[in-house]
Amino acid sequence: MDHAKKPRILSGIKPTGELTLGSYIGAIKNWVKLYDDYECFYMLADLHAITVRHDPSVLRKRTLEQLAQYIACGLDPEKNVLFIQSRVPAHAELAWVLSCYTMMGELNRMTQFKDKASKQSDNINAGLYTYPVLMAADILIYQADLVPVGDDQKQHVEICRDIAGRFNGIYGDVFTIPEPYIPEVGARIMSLDDPESKMSKSEESGGSVLLMDTPEIIMSKFKRAVTDSEASVRYDAENKKGISNLMTVYSVCTGKSFIEIENEFEGKGYGIFKKAVGEAVVETLCPIREEALRLLKDKAYLDEIIAKGTERASYIAGRTLSKVYKKVGFYRA
Ligand code: ATP
Ligand code: LTN
């Protein structure tokens, strides 16, 4: 791989569930096109995954599956650094240092924490609370310039910028201040059975389309998608959330604009529209599913990618951590 000085990218997804059409459209699809202009680091955020109760054997299995899915989505391991977060201990080490430069008041404002805490009132653990500090460490340790994420992660990138700015203010220019990179269309794909809530992988239901769903399942999920009683395919994110969400999905999968979609389905019923959206999604996801299944049969190949990714990521991360330890005054002979 050519490591000439290109700006850097870091992003990741926690292996807490099956990847969804939302993770694909909001994040991975956009990662794929960046490697020409950036040095790209994409991780499997397993440290973040244990902030919710989980089954260890499922986490282990999902991590490898998610790697296969990253590659199947088009992330070429020769051109992108693909790695597992827990294999690079510097993330957790930097997170501790950064936690001493993060204010409780800042963490109290995080909407994802409030949201997750309300959903798991029996397990509001400290990791869930300090999650954004670890995420800041993930980003800052690679001196990332850009962080491609969906809309829900914007606040986390903002707190990361604040922490980096505070640290730099005390110790000089240690960290690159990253910018979020959020897609214009598809930054927030909504659940098919509840267009008021985000399509999410940890709340699996008929409303989430999974990357590994079969064509039949995908078609049946779109058939049941919640719409409205107006029977007109028209983009109105305020008043027609279900239809607007389906239009967004169709637009991303086909490259058609909202105007083109409105013209295409003028005078046609929702049944025809939902079928067309389902078919477009099947066409997008099917090759990914098949390639992921093929890759999963070659564990040795996937392990080799992890080893290579860990090596490159550890090298960059180690350099930043040494600099930080020096700055804060940890003694080294
Ligand atoms: P969980 O349910 O475990 O919190 P999730 O499904 O919300 O997970 P994340 O792992 O939090 O997914 O997100 C992975 C990436 O995909 C992030 O960049 C996130 O912003 C993006 N993303 C996730 N869901 C959607 C969605 N519905 N629409 C657009 N982007 C999304
Ligand atoms: N919190 C993110 C996952 C994540 C991440 C990161 C994304 C962990 N560390 C660093 C971008 C950069 C999420 O998707 N829920």
Side-chain angles (χ1 to χ4, degrees), residues 266-319:
E266 205 185 331
K268 294 186 183 148
Y270 283 166
I272 292 175
F273 175 54
K274 291 203 278 188
K275 184 160 176 275
V277 183
E279 281 163 0
V281 171
V282 167
E283 211 163 292
T284 306
L285 297 189
C286 252
I288 295 176
R289 175 171 172 269
E290 278 161 23
E291 178 64 359
L293 291 173
R294 190 188 69 77
L295 287 164
L296 272 169
K297 291 191 188 122
D298 196 350
K299 187 169 171 297
Y301 170 69
L302 296 175
D303 284 342
E304 197 185 302
I305 288 166
I306 293 167
K308 238 176 74 188
T310 304
E311 193 187 344
R312 176 67 185 154
S314 301
Y315 172 72
I316 305 289
R319 280 204 320 199

Side-chain angles (χ1 to χ4, degrees), residues 10-14 31 43 45 48 85 112 131 134-136 138-139 147-149 152-153 156-157 198 201:
L10 177 286
S11 196
I13 300 181
K14 50 192 152 55
W31 301 354
M43 61 177 187
H48 278 105
Q85 186 185 27
Q112 181 172 300
Y131 182 115
L134 178 58
M135 180 158 160
D138 298 335
I139 298 167
V147 185
V149 282
D152 60 314
Q153 295 302 311
H156 286 160
V157 181
K198 194 187 79 148
K201 64 176 143 56

Side-chain angles (χ1 to χ4, degrees), residues 144-259:
D145 298 274
L146 211 62
V147 185
V149 282
D151 184 56
D152 60 314
Q153 295 302 311
K154 194 169 167 213
Q155 197 185 31
H156 286 160
V157 181
E158 274 159 14
I159 191 176
C160 169
R161 288 167 57 88
D162 293 342
I163 297 168
R166 180 173 302 125
F167 196 92
N168 284 356
I170 303 171
Y171 299 107
D173 279 341
V174 178
F175 295 123
T176 302
I177 309 283
E179 294 284 340
Y181 172 68
I182 294 165
E184 269 171 39
V185 178
R188 197 173 188 83
I189 301 298
M190 310 310 279
S191 162
L192 297 188
D193 58 15
D194 174 14
E196 298 282 340
S197 42
K198 194 187 79 148
M199 185 182 286
S200 151
K201 64 176 143 56
S202 61
E203 282 151 59
E204 272 171 38
S205 67
S208 292
V209 176
L210 308 181
L211 237 54
M212 301 304 278
D213 275 345
T214 61
E216 297 71 37
I217 292 181
I218 294 174
M219 291 307 290
S220 81
K221 284 180 177 173
F222 278 98
K223 198 171 171 191
R224 282 182 282 128
V226 169
T227 52
D228 53 57
S229 54
E230 198 195 18
S232 122
V233 177
R234 184 168 55 78
Y235 192 86
D236 178 347
E238 259 321 291
N239 303 306
K240 289 169 72 67
K241 290 200 164 72
I243 286 295
S244 302
N245 187 43
L246 293 175
M247 285 179 73
T248 303
V249 169
Y250 191 63
S251 168
V252 172
C253 291
T254 60
K256 293 177 187 169
S257 69
F258 290 148
I259 303 279

